[in-house]
Amino acid sequence: GKRPQLKSHPELTARTPPPHPKTMEGEPSAPSRFFLARPLDAPDKVEQSAACHFQHLRAEVFDELQIDFEDLVPESLHGWAITGLTWMAAAGVEKQNSACLGLVYALLVHDLDRAVSPGYYDYLALLRNLDAHHIATRTLLAFSRRWRVLQPVVQLRLVLLLRAMAEARWPKVDQVALSIQRELVLEPKHQEHVCEVLHEMVCITHLCARVDEECAQLSFLWAARWAHITSSLNLRQGEGGEALVELRRLLAELAAGLWQEYRDAMVRAGPALLWAAAQYRDCAALPWQDVMVHEGAILTHPAPQACLDHFLTHELQEQTAFLLNEATGHRAGRLFEWFLRRHFGQPAHGSGIGDCILWAITAAAPKGDLKPQLWDRFWNASANGDGALAFMFAAAHLAPRSDSYTRRLLDGLLAQSADPDETRRRKAFYLV
C-alpha cells in the first residue's frame, strides 16, 4: 500500500498559550531565530507558534528554576525541569502537545551542551515519550521544506537532532530525512558547512534508508547525486580536503551498499535509475557498470513518480507545475524568464534543468497538451546541455508504446533547428 505521509504543518490540538509576560502587546515582532528573513518577509507561522509554546514552558517551568537557555550552566536544575514538564504534560493532550512543540523550539534555537547530564538527551528522551501525535517530526518536516532560507546554525542543529531521533528509532523520521535530501543544494560560499551537513545526512540515511523499498530507492538516487557533486568540489588542503575525501567515500559506500542490498527494488525504479546513471556516470566509485547489466530488466518498469519528484526541490516542483498549468498568454514568457534566473541562471546550466524538463514532460504527457511555446523555451535555454538529453531520454524511455506524446514533442523541436538532420544525429549520438 501507499506509505502514510506526514502533514507538513503541525496541526496541534493544543490552543496557543498566552504570551510570555516579557512580550509586550503591540511591540514589533522579534527577528526570526530560524530563517534568513528579509525585511518584508511575513513571519513564519510554525516558528511563531513554536516560540509561543516555548515561552509558555519558560513561564510554567524554567523561570521558576532559574534555567536560562541563553546561558546554560552545568549546575542548572534540568532534572527538576524534566519532572515539572512531565507533571505539566500529564494535565491533558493540549499540555502534552504544547510541551512537545516548545521543546522542539528549544532544541533548535539554543545550543544545549550534549556533554551535560541531565541535559540535551534527557530532554530528547522526554520529548520521545510525550510525542504521541508526532509533533516533533511534523514540525521538522515543516522547517525542512524551507531549508534554503534556514540559518546555517539552525540547519546543523536540525540534522543533529534528526540523527539523534533516527538513532532512537523515532517513528516517521524517514520522511523528514527524505525531505531534506530534496532540499539540499550546493552553495559555493558555504561548501564546508554543506559538507558538515552532508556528513550527518549520510549517517541519518544509513539509519532510515531501510524503512521500505521507496525510501531505499530515493536514498540511492540522493547518495549517487552527491557522490557525483562532491567529486567536483575542491576545498583547501588540510583538514577540509581530508573531510571531503572521506565524505565522497561515505556517499559512494552508501550508494553501493543500497544497490547490493536492495537490487530488486532499485531495478523497479525503472528509467529514473537510468537517468541517474546518465547524469552521474563520470563518478567511477558508483556501481553503474553493474546497473547497466540489468538495463533490460530496468526498462520493463515505469519510473515511479516519487523518484522523479526526488530530483527536484519542493519549490522547484511547485513552480514547474505552475508553469505547466497556470502560466498562459502574454505573462508566460516573463514568468519563464524569472523561473530560469531563479533556479538555473541564464543561460541555464547544470543537471538541474534536465531534471526539471524530465519532470515537466512526465507531468504534461497524460494531458496530451504539447504546449509548444513552453517546450521551445526549455529547448532554447538548454539545447546544448542536459536539457536536450532530457528531451531525448523522455522520448526513448518514458513514453509508453501506445503514447507518442514525447516523440511528437521531440520531433517538433528538432524540426525547428537550422539543420534538423545534423541536430537529430548529434542528439541521438549524445543519448546513446
Side-chain angles (χ1 to χ4, degrees), residues 178-369:
L178 293 176
S179 178
I180 296 176
Q181 286 180 7
R182 290 184 63 176
E183 296 300 321
L184 268 176
V185 295
L186 178 62
E187 299 179 13
K189 295 182 180 179
H190 305 287
Q191 285 188 12
E192 294 187 23
H193 167 72
V194 172
C195 289
E196 189 174 3
V197 170
L198 276 172
H199 190 278
E200 293 299 325
M201 282 301 300
V202 169
C203 299
I204 293 167
T205 304
H206 267 293
L207 296 167
C208 296
R210 293 159 177 82
V211 170
D212 58 22
E213 177 177 303
E214 181 182 291
C215 194
Q217 291 172 343
L218 302 182
S219 296
F220 175 86
L221 296 175
W222 173 80
R225 172 174 175 260
W226 277 100
H228 164 75
I229 292 175
T230 54
S231 66
S232 62
L233 288 181
N234 289 310
L235 294 181
R236 65 177 184 272
Q237 297 295 324
E239 183 179 351
E242 294 174 359
L244 180 59
V245 172
E246 176 66 11
L247 179 59
R248 291 171 186 163
R249 184 187 65 81
L250 292 174
L251 286 163
E253 285 184 355
L254 173 60
L258 289 173
W259 169 255
Q260 292 295 330
E261 189 172 351
Y262 293 94
R263 184 169 305 180
D264 292 341
M266 300 304 164
V267 168
R268 286 191 287 273
L273 182 60
L274 295 181
W275 175 247
Q279 294 292 293
Y280 319 136
R281 60 190 177 276
D282 58 343
C283 186
L286 296 172
W288 297 132
Q289 290 185 349
D290 197 12
V291 169
M292 298 312 296
V293 170
H294 297 79
E295 182 179 8
I298 291 171
L299 290 175
T300 63
H301 299 277
Q305 187 60 48
C307 291
L308 297 175
D309 293 346
H310 211 62
F311 289 118
L312 276 61
T313 66
H314 294 93
E315 181 187 47
L316 180 55
Q317 179 181 338
E318 292 171 359
Q319 293 178 2
T320 304
F322 181 84
L323 285 178
L324 286 172
N325 301 321
E326 305 293 339
T328 58
H330 65 280
R331 66 173 183 167
R334 295 198 301 271
L335 286 174
F336 184 82
E337 294 299 322
W338 173 88
F339 171 83
L340 206 64
R341 287 194 303 270
R342 177 174 179 81
H343 294 289
F344 310 111
Q346 277 185 311
H349 61 279
S351 62
I353 186 70
D355 298 334
C356 180
I357 291 171
L358 201 66
W359 187 92
I361 292 174
T362 57
K367 300 177 182 179
D369 185 1

Side-chain angles (χ1 to χ4, degrees), residues 45-209:
K45 292 182 179 180
V46 180
E47 179 189 4
Q48 282 189 317
S49 177
C52 192
H53 284 277
F54 175 66
Q55 295 293 353
H56 182 61
L57 297 186
R58 286 182 54 189
E60 291 284 328
V61 177
F62 295 119
D63 285 353
E64 293 183 3
L65 298 174
Q66 298 183 358
I67 297 177
D68 183 3
F69 279 83
E70 300 288 351
D71 185 23
L72 288 175
V73 294
E75 295 78 16
S76 297
L77 301 175
H78 294 297
W80 288 30
I82 290 170
T83 302
L85 291 170
T86 304
W87 180 260
M88 185 188 78
V93 173
E94 291 182 358
K95 291 287 189 178
Q96 180 179 340
N97 289 341
S98 177
C100 291
L101 189 54
L103 284 174
V104 172
Y105 181 88
L107 295 174
L108 291 178
V109 169
H110 301 288
D111 281 317
L112 276 71
D113 187 356
R114 291 168 174 78
V116 175
S117 183
Y120 182 90
Y121 291 105
D122 286 337
Y123 284 118
L124 191 62
L126 174 64
L127 179 60
R128 177 69 177 87
N129 291 330
L130 297 179
D131 195 16
H133 298 94
H134 308 298
I135 300 299
T137 45
R138 291 157 67 185
T139 304
L140 296 185
L141 187 62
F143 289 139
S144 71
R145 293 288 295 268
R146 300 192 62 194
W147 179 268
R148 296 183 67 177
V149 292
L150 282 177
Q151 297 178 18
V153 65
V154 176
Q155 291 179 346
L156 188 56
R157 289 189 195 125
L158 195 156
V159 293
L160 289 171
L161 173 59
L162 192 64
R163 179 177 178 179
M165 293 169 67
E167 290 172 345
R169 301 297 188 267
W170 213 291
K172 301 185 183 299
V173 72
D174 57 295
Q175 295 185 28
V176 184
L178 293 176
S179 178
I180 296 176
Q181 286 180 7
R182 290 184 63 176
E183 296 300 321
L184 268 176
V185 295
L186 178 62
E187 299 179 13
K189 295 182 180 179
H190 305 287
Q191 285 188 12
E192 294 187 23
H193 167 72
V194 172
C195 289
E196 189 174 3
V197 170
L198 276 172
H199 190 278
E200 293 299 325
M201 282 301 300
V202 169
C203 299
I204 293 167
T205 304
H206 267 293
L207 296 167
C208 296

